Structures are given as structure tokens and as C-alpha cells.
Amino acid sequence: MERLVTLLLLSVLLLSSAGESARVSKIRLPNSPADGLCAHLIQPYGYPCSEHTAQTNDGYLLGLQRVASNSRYLRRQYCPPVLLLHGLMMAGDAWFLNSPNQSLGFILADHGFDVWAGNVRGTRWSRRHVHLTEKDKDFWDWSWQELALYDLEGMARYIYNITNSKIFIVGHSQGTIMSLAAFTQPHIVSMVEAAALLSPISYLDHISSSFVLRLVKMHIDEVLCVMGIHELIFKSDCSTHMMDILCGEYVNCNELLTPVTGKNCCFNNSRIDFYLEYEPQPTSSKNLNHLFQMIREGTFRKYDYGIFKNLIRYGRFRPPAFDVSSIPNSLPLWIAYGGNDAFADVTDVHRTLKELKRQPEVLFLEEYGHIDFLPSVRSKEDLYDNMIRFLKSFRKFGSY
């Protein structure tokens, strides 16, 4: 059964990326606020929301959505800013895909936070650049390294300047690898009050996802690069229809995800059609290549260009590591991880915890897989309440 599911998922991946790579993505860009995430997903629930754009130092224009509570009383209070950083093949919408009482973006707003949903380059809400277009291969010349050092910095700087306040950061999956790498940079961490990391990733050498391990063994990341496929699009009309049929008639969607993410205890199968309207989001082939490098080498390093290009870019044969122990002990961290997570393996999480100077607050959820930390039907009670208590301990919520 697991082999069959893996073959089906691989077929969806290849059909989508190969079929769409030869032409411009069928992603409608937001030309006006009416096309943005606010109008699509947040304002219909009655929450005030505004669209913003942050520019990175390398020229990408990133969409940010600012969400406030729908309570007039809370909107009059002092609201500390919190930046939400989504996972791989997701976007800022990931924080709002369940009902308001289950989605972290809405829950934080209801607790009086000034919520900012970030969208990294290449995703639906962040597909612009000051001089490149998505047709240019250079537009896709990036990995999570650039997401950490440019996208996170650009979004944090924008929010910091608008609010005149240090920010909280909450990341899931790719959002955590971005955070851990960025926190080794003093100019970035100086803008951050505290951070909460859900399903944290830095080392990946104990990953147990059978689907991903098969792709690594096949060197699919290198094949895609050789084929000249720079943008990975896992979403198309064909693949969405196929997933709808599989989940609805032949396979339990939880079982479909298990070879990829690990067994999820609390995934909301009833909303799969709605999830597929927004996810998965595009990423770059280079990003996949970088992640697979980490799996093969057991490292938390910058992108490996090969000996000669490494010498030119880094002045050394091997790319420099992101030193987790250099994250200042003045930065409070809260970390939640799961026993069934096939990406953020317990052994790798423990290695990260051991290297940190300051021991974070830790929440371990034995039943949770990788996806459970976002669309779980139990996430509020299992982890969000605990996380919000941690964040609130650093600020006094009061009137202006």
C-alpha cells in the first residue's frame, strides 16, 4: 500500500512540474487588493486585513497580510506584532485554512496580536521582482538560504519599521529552518523579541519520509536541474483533480500523506477540497536540491555549488555552516515537535536542542506528524494555547 501511494504521489509531482515548466505558471497575480489573500480568505470572516509589500535586498517584492482582531475592544489595545512564516510548498494562507477557532492566524488576532502573514518568493502572493519576471530562470535562482537571509530579513525589517516594535516570529517547517539560519545573523535577531518554532528543521539526516528518501536516492533534484526545470509547480488542474479523486474515492488522505510527512493524528480530511484550492504552492528546484544536499550530507550548511564555485562564492572548498550555537542566549525560543514527524525527526530535533546556547521551552506531542502542527483539529488545545502563553509572557497587553 505504501509503495502504491508513493508511486501515485510521484506521478502527481512529475505530471505537475514537467507539464507546467515549459510555460508560464497559471497563477493569477494579485493586481489589486480585491485579488489578494485578504479578500480571498480573511475578510470574509469579518477580520480587518490589509495588503502590504516588502522588498528584499536582492529585489524580490513579497506579499504581507496584516490581520487584526474583529473585536473593536482589542483593536484599541496595544498589539505586539507577530510574523508567521509558512512551510515548504505553502504560503501565508496556510495559517487561515481552518475555521477561525482552529486557525492560528485568527486565534492570534483574537488574543490581541498584530498578525502579519509572510509569503516567501515564488509563492502565489510573492511573484514579483524589481527587474526580473517569473519567466526568467534567474527569478528562481534561490534556496531556503536566500529565504532566511533576504526574505525573512526583508519582512521583519518592514514590520519593524511600520510598528516601531520588536516582533515575534512563529514558523512551521521551512519557516523554522529560515528562522534558525536567520537567528545566527545579529542584524536580524536584533529585531526579534522571541520565536516559536513548530516542527523545527535544521538537520535532516534522520528524515524517515519514505517518499522523500526515494526521491533523494533517485537524485530527482539533480535531474530536474539538468533538465532546466527551475520552478517546481506541484499544483495544476490535472494534479488537483487526481488528488480529489484519490482522497474522495480510493485512498484516505491521511494514508496518502503518511509516506511523505509521517502518520498524522488529527488531519482534517473533511476540508481537503478547500486546502487544495490554495496548496501546494510553487518553489524552486534549487530549494529542493539544497534540502536534499542536507539529507545526503547530514549538514546544516549553505548551498553547495561544488568545489570551484564554492571557492568563488565562499572562499572555501565547502560551504560554511549555519552555527546554531551562535544564536544568542538572549533570544527566547519555544519549540514544539512530534513523535510521528517524518521530516523533523526526534533525533535531529534533539541535536538542534543540544547545540542551542539557551534551552528553549519545549512541547513534545507523541502522536503528531508533520502536518498536524497546522491544520490539526486539536491544535488549539494541544499546542496553540501553550505557545500563546509563552508569547504573552514577554509583553504587557494594554491600551494605547
Side-chain angles (χ1 to χ4, degrees):
M1 177 63 179
E2 181 177 302
R3 186 179 295 272
L4 173 61
V5 171
T6 301
L7 288 172
L8 289 170
L9 287 169
L10 182 57
S11 299
V12 170
L13 185 158
L14 293 175
L15 280 171
S16 302
S17 60
E20 298 287 341
S21 61
R23 57 186 183 274
V24 180
S25 313
K26 292 182 178 179
I27 295 179
R28 184 175 151 202
L29 298 180
N31 296 316
S32 70
D35 295 324
L37 177 55
C38 286
H40 271 259
L41 197 56
I42 299 168
Q43 289 170 338
Y45 285 103
Y47 285 77
C49 183
S50 54
E51 299 282 350
H52 296 256
T53 301
Q55 182 174 325
T56 67
N57 287 335
D58 57 348
Y60 287 85
L61 303 173
L62 309 179
L64 280 167
Q65 289 78 37
R66 188 181 194 180
V67 186
S69 170
N70 56 9
S71 163
R72 291 182 180 179
Y73 170 73
L74 286 175
R75 290 204 297 273
R76 290 196 301 268
Q77 289 189 317
Y78 168 69
C79 300
V82 55
L83 171 61
L84 304 179
L85 299 173
H86 59 80
L88 180 67
M89 298 174 202
M90 293 181 173
D93 45 63
W95 305 99
F96 305 94
L97 290 178
N98 274 351
S99 62
N101 63 344
Q102 291 179 326
S103 300
L104 182 59
F106 292 127
I107 292 170
L108 286 168
D110 287 340
H111 276 270
F113 288 91
D114 180 9
V115 178
W116 295 76
N119 301 268
V120 303
R121 61 186 68 184
T123 56
R124 179 177 182 180
W125 319 104
S126 297
R127 295 178 69 84
R128 293 182 296 147
H129 189 276
V130 293
H131 60 81
L132 297 172
T133 74
E134 59 184 291
K135 298 179 184 180
D136 301 315
K137 69 176 184 179
D138 287 345
F139 183 92
W140 300 98
D141 186 19
W142 49 266
S143 74
W144 61 260
Q145 176 177 319
E146 284 73 28
L147 303 186
L149 301 182
Y150 294 108
D151 288 24
L152 191 154
E153 193 275 342
M155 291 185 284
R157 179 75 60 189
Y158 182 88
I159 299 168
Y160 184 82
N161 289 337
I162 290 288
T163 63
N164 194 31
S165 170
K166 281 192 172 185
I167 66 174
F168 293 116
I169 286 180
V170 175
H172 171 248
S173 190
Q174 179 182 260
T176 69
I177 199 171
M178 290 168 57
S179 298
L180 289 167
F183 294 161
T184 65
Q185 310 299 306
H187 70 288
I188 297 178
V189 80
S190 66
M191 296 182 286
V192 181
E193 180 97 16
L197 308 179
L198 310 175
S199 191
I201 292 174
S202 55
Y203 299 102
L204 288 170
D205 47 322
H206 289 88
I207 189 172
S208 59
S209 167
S210 58
F211 175 67
V212 172
L213 289 175
R214 282 194 176 95
L215 297 185
V216 171
K217 187 176 181 180
M218 293 166 60
H219 292 266
I220 194 71
D221 55 317
E222 296 168 359
V223 171
L224 291 169
C225 292
V226 169
M227 290 173 63
I229 297 176
H230 307 291
E231 176 187 9
L232 290 184
I233 308 173
F234 299 90
K235 181 178 176 61
S236 66
D237 293 340
C238 175
S239 61
T240 299
H241 183 62
M242 186 184 299
M243 292 293 287
D244 271 336
I245 293 173
L246 288 174
C247 290
E249 298 181 24
Y250 300 104
V251 181
N252 182 304
C253 253
N254 223 339
E255 293 179 10
L256 196 64
L257 285 169
T258 295
V260 184
T261 65
K263 185 177 181 181
N264 297 288
C265 67
C266 320
F267 182 75
N268 192 346
N269 281 297
S270 66
R271 292 181 67 85
I272 186 64
D273 289 346
F274 186 68
Y275 298 156
L276 289 174
E277 289 183 25
Y278 293 90
E279 316 294 355
Q281 295 277 341
T283 190
S284 70
S285 298
K286 186 175 179 179
N287 194 21
L288 190 72
N289 186 209
H290 194 177
L291 291 167
F292 283 14
Q293 286 179 0
M294 296 167 62
I295 295 171
R296 294 185 184 108
E297 300 170 11
T299 58
F300 183 33
R301 295 182 181 273
K302 293 186 175 182
Y303 186 83
D304 192 344
Y305 290 93
I307 292 175
F308 297 111
K309 285 190 176 180
N310 286 342
L311 277 173
I312 295 171
R313 287 180 174 264
Y314 307 128
R316 51 197 294 177
F317 292 122
R318 299 191 68 195
F322 286 103
D323 183 6
V324 176
S325 67
S326 69
I327 297 175
N329 57 15
S330 58
L331 178 66
L333 297 175
W334 181 94
I335 287 176
Y337 65 108
N340 287 328
D341 195 328
F343 288 153
D345 185 85
V346 171
T347 303
D348 292 331
V349 174
H350 286 175
R351 180 179 178 184
T352 302
L353 293 174
K354 186 176 180 180
E355 292 184 6
L356 288 167
K357 281 183 181 178
R358 175 173 179 163
Q359 285 305 296
E361 283 197 33
V362 173
L363 177 64
F364 176 64
L365 299 169
E366 179 69 45
E367 295 181 277
Y368 269 49
H370 195 71
I371 298 297
D372 284 321
F373 290 88
L374 226 55
S376 164
V377 295
R378 293 173 12 199
S379 53
K380 182 182 183 301
E381 296 77 14
D382 287 345
L383 69 148
Y384 294 162
D385 288 345
N386 189 304
M387 184 193 75
I388 289 169
R389 183 235 1 119
F390 166 80
L391 297 177
K392 283 190 170 183
S393 69
F394 296 97
R395 291 286 186 92
K396 291 182 179 179
F397 287 61
S399 300
Y400 284 108

